Amino acid sequence: MNQELIHVYLMPGMAASPKIFEYLSLPETQFKLHYLEWILPLEAETLAAYALRMTAQIQHEAPVLLGVSFGGVLVQEISKHIALQRLIIVSSVKTKHELPVKMQLAKSTGAYKLLPTQLASKIEVFEKYAFGKSMTKRLELYKKYLSVNDSKYLSWAIEQMVCWEQETALEGIIHIHGDSDPVFPVKHIKNCMLIENGTHIAIINKYKWFNENLPRIILNNS
């Protein structure tokens, strides 16, 4: 008897493309990977309404949903509209209380509204003035993995992330987090699986950990 495949839908981080999952590989006899992509938000659209529209990309019943960073916040909102087999977030947060102080401050002061998101579409300008190997390498990563450079989308996404109001963690959620994540420092994170030396892009540079552990996590929730 053929074993029924488990459908795993993957949601990348803010403005990122599914290329961030290019090294992810699960046994094809058990799992089928599907890649979700960002769509442009409607005018004044709430995150809940956006999440409902995103469900149109999910074609299977009770799938596994995995989201990275802001994508992890989005999949939590999607889970409020459809039934899931597993809900997994990576390099993300489960409640507003896990947001770093600087983001909470940005919310209370409204400083997030001042970010020059229109510059995101002009990465070639940064490229001309980049200096040093680390900056050049970072720009190369941005060019490879960023898929959305629309300033309205970025302004919307930043606001939804900073102003997310979830008070308590969803039941059954699985949280995977790097112990060296500079965006969402682990000191603010509760009840997660830690990846040693994992940064905010652990899904890319710690892909071997995911390939080794995700099947067990999905099947056993342990």
Side-chain angles (χ1 to χ4, degrees):
M1 178 182 283
N2 291 330
Q3 182 179 6
E4 189 172 343
L5 288 174
I6 297 173
H7 295 277
V8 182
Y9 283 80
L10 305 171
M11 187 73 223
M14 186 183 295
S17 80
K19 285 183 181 179
I20 68 168
F21 302 113
E22 64 182 334
Y23 302 120
L24 202 61
S25 178
L26 303 183
E28 294 182 358
T29 55
Q30 293 177 291
F31 304 97
K32 174 67 175 176
L33 300 182
H34 304 270
Y35 304 98
L36 297 173
E37 300 201 42
W38 293 101
I39 56 178
L40 294 181
L42 303 176
E43 190 70 30
E45 187 170 26
T46 65
L47 186 58
Y50 185 93
L52 181 59
R53 282 206 297 137
M54 284 293 295
T55 61
Q57 294 188 38
I58 299 173
Q59 303 297 318
H60 300 89
E61 291 187 4
V64 174
L65 206 50
L66 181 152
V68 176
S69 192
F70 179 52
V73 169
L74 177 60
V75 296
Q76 289 175 73
E77 293 297 323
I78 291 175
S79 76
K80 298 171 184 177
H81 297 291
I82 63 173
L84 300 179
Q85 179 172 337
R86 291 279 183 270
L87 175 61
I88 304 171
I89 64 172
V90 178
S91 306
S92 190
V93 295
K94 299 182 292 298
T95 74
K96 68 178 186 179
H97 306 293
E98 292 185 336
L99 290 171
V101 174
K102 61 183 179 181
M103 286 193 187
Q104 296 185 36
L105 200 60
K107 175 188 175 183
S108 63
T109 62
Y112 64 89
K113 299 177 182 178
L114 304 177
L115 292 172
T117 53
Q118 68 274 12
L119 292 179
S121 62
K122 297 179 171 50
I123 195 166
E124 68 278 359
V125 174
F126 289 114
E127 194 171 28
K128 288 179 182 178
Y129 296 100
F131 55 92
K133 291 183 179 179
S134 61
M135 179 59 76
T136 301
K137 187 174 182 180
R138 191 172 301 175
L139 284 170
E140 289 173 356
L141 284 174
Y142 285 151
K143 289 176 69 177
K144 181 176 181 179
Y145 293 116
L146 245 59
S147 65
V148 186
N149 57 16
D150 182 271
S151 64
K152 290 183 179 179
Y153 159 84
L154 290 169
S155 296
W156 173 86
I158 290 168
E159 180 177 7
Q160 303 311 312
M161 181 74 253
V162 171
C163 298
W164 194 43
E165 288 294 333
Q166 185 152 286
E167 284 281 352
T168 58
L170 299 179
E171 185 176 351
I173 190 170
I174 300 167
H175 189 170
I176 302 170
H177 209 83
D179 64 3
S180 300
D181 189 322
V183 177
F184 300 123
V186 73
K187 65 181 179 180
H188 301 299
I189 305 297
K190 298 178 180 178
N191 303 321
C192 70
M193 297 180 184
L194 280 180
I195 299 180
E196 187 176 357
N197 298 319
T199 65
H200 197 61
I201 57 170
I203 195 70
I204 298 172
N205 56 25
K206 293 290 183 179
Y207 69 91
K208 290 181 180 178
W209 186 97
F210 287 93
N211 290 344
E212 181 180 342
N213 291 282
L214 265 185
R216 171 182 56 82
I217 292 169
I218 291 172
L219 293 171
N220 301 325
N221 194 13
S222 63

